[in-house]
Amino acid sequence: MTLQTEGRTPPQKSGKASRNKGLAYWLALLHAPGLGSRGYNRLLKETSPQQVFENPGLANKLGSVRCDLGSYIRNPDWDAVETDQQWAEAAGHHIITLEDPLYPALLAEIDDPPPVLFVVGDPACLALPQLAMVGSRNPSASGRQTARDFAFHLARSGLAVTSGLAIGVDCASHEGALEANGITIAVTGTGLDRVYPARHHELAHRIRDNGALISEFPPGTPVLPGNFPRRNCIISGLSAGTLVVEAALKSGSLITARLASEQGREVFAIPGSIHNPLARGCHQLIRQGAKLVESSEDIIEELSPLLGTLIPDTGETPPRKPDSAPRQLDDEYLQLLGNIGFDPIHADQLIERSGLPPETVSSMLLLLELEGYVSSLSGGRFCLTGKN
């Protein structure tokens, strides 16, 4: 009996985090195999994590939990708990439970909210009004710029921009908010002791200094496909609305939009060319009732009555990259541009329409793309970016 009691009690370790005995029980329950957030929340409706460990018979009575909780309680993973607590001792690291005043109120409203959040950065920013921005990992150049521009203006209006740190639209959204000196929040599908994808290591540091990175997964959690639907649920759950920039018909972004709708949040979508496969997901959302938006003001107008804290943006345009002066186009380039629209067109059609040699058109298209006038798409197609 003595051994069982010792197993159910958090070991006494040195360090500031381990002095929070109540938190240790929350973390121990988080590591219960097979429990998951759904089972965890069912337990919380009946009792507290500490009561579960101090009254081992209670776990056997809670039949709604589909795991061998009683067996785990007799031998909890205190080593994992200690690892979590040591992680929380680092500067800027925080662990927030559902009963913590810092836990974001909107997220707490969803079905089965994550019982524990790991945060790097400023946890207070989680209480700010947020807009989720999601989209393709392989957007067009114009789609990437659109995401960046929208994030810039939305951040200038007082919204925190929330996304998933992925390549493509996620990255552009975080960067746009940072360029506006605004707040951005990244939700990850791994433990916060790693950055995924690794190429966003520097971006993650900038987000930490100007917002927060959060995860429901403890340190040491690797990249697992099953974690990302939960990440998407948190992205939409934190936010008053979700904006989809570019998305194919089979896209994780549409899952995030569906979750937002189920959570009673607003869904916005940016339309595109009927010939662009990355616009079809947005068009489907609009047909299903998502709000069509053409500017950040459309979103601000929709959300202001709900949030009451947004201010109109000044309309200042975010800085463009590269920062070089635009080239003065001669008549031949202007003629070629006149044959390119916002709908994708194949290079062969441009050769036919312009009457120029293939090698000349190819060279001109390359320069126009470098200067930001056109965007290259799959299959040798091109379209205008909207640059004047």
Side-chain angles (χ1 to χ4, degrees), residues 164-379:
L165 199 62
I167 60 174
V169 167
D170 286 18
C171 174
S173 301
H174 291 306
E175 289 180 338
L178 291 170
E179 286 164 359
N181 294 318
I183 301 297
T184 187
I185 296 165
V187 185
T188 74
T190 67
L192 293 181
D193 56 333
R194 66 187 67 201
V195 174
Y196 178 80
R199 70 178 76 174
H200 287 166
H201 195 270
E202 189 270 339
L203 176 61
H205 281 283
R206 292 170 62 202
I207 294 172
R208 175 201 63 191
D209 296 337
N210 296 273
L213 298 101
I214 74 170
S215 177
E216 68 173 315
F217 303 107
T221 303
V223 180
L224 299 172
N227 291 351
F228 289 90
R230 283 293 302 172
R231 178 204 65 170
N232 294 347
C233 186
I234 296 175
I235 290 173
S236 59
L238 283 166
S239 308
T242 292
L243 171 64
V244 183
V245 178
E246 277 189 342
L249 284 174
K250 294 183 178 180
S251 166
S253 302
L254 299 191
I255 296 175
T256 307
R258 175 179 56 79
L259 290 168
S261 180
E262 292 173 353
Q263 292 162 353
R265 313 295 163 79
E266 299 290 345
V267 178
F268 306 94
I270 298 175
S273 167
I274 60 172
H275 302 291
N276 182 1
L278 292 177
R280 291 173 186 166
C282 293
H283 293 166
Q284 176 175 286
L285 290 173
I286 292 168
R287 287 194 298 271
Q288 294 171 346
K291 294 177 175 60
L292 183 154
V293 296
E294 297 176 314
S295 70
S296 59
E297 285 75 17
D298 296 334
I299 298 173
I300 299 301
E301 181 180 352
E302 190 71 30
L303 294 184
S304 287
L306 297 175
L307 303 174
T309 57
L310 303 181
I311 58 174
D313 184 31
T314 62
E316 179 184 339
T317 302
R320 299 281 175 153
K321 297 177 181 179
D323 209 20
S324 57
R327 180 188 298 269
Q328 186 69 34
L329 299 178
D330 60 28
D331 291 342
E332 203 168 56
Y333 279 93
L334 292 175
Q335 177 190 347
L336 185 62
L337 276 178
N339 288 292
I340 305 174
F342 291 101
D343 289 341
I345 183 172
H346 198 277
D348 290 343
Q349 291 177 277
L350 288 172
I351 294 169
E352 182 180 349
R353 289 184 182 182
S354 66
L356 296 169
E359 61 274 12
T360 301
V361 171
S362 177
S363 175
M364 292 170 68
L365 286 172
L366 177 59
L367 185 141
L368 289 171
E369 183 178 5
L370 291 173
E371 293 290 336
Y373 288 97
V374 303
S375 173
S376 62
L377 306 173
S378 61

Side-chain angles (χ1 to χ4, degrees), residues 73-92:
I73 286 173
R74 289 191 291 272
N75 188 28
D77 192 350
W78 294 124
D79 288 339
V81 171
E82 177 64 14
T83 297
D84 295 344
Q85 292 183 317
Q86 288 178 350
W87 175 89
E89 292 181 19

Side-chain angles (χ1 to χ4, degrees), residues 99-113:
E99 67 177 7
D100 194 307
L102 287 174
Y103 195 96
L106 274 183
L107 186 61
E109 294 178 1
I110 71 172
D111 292 336
D112 298 318

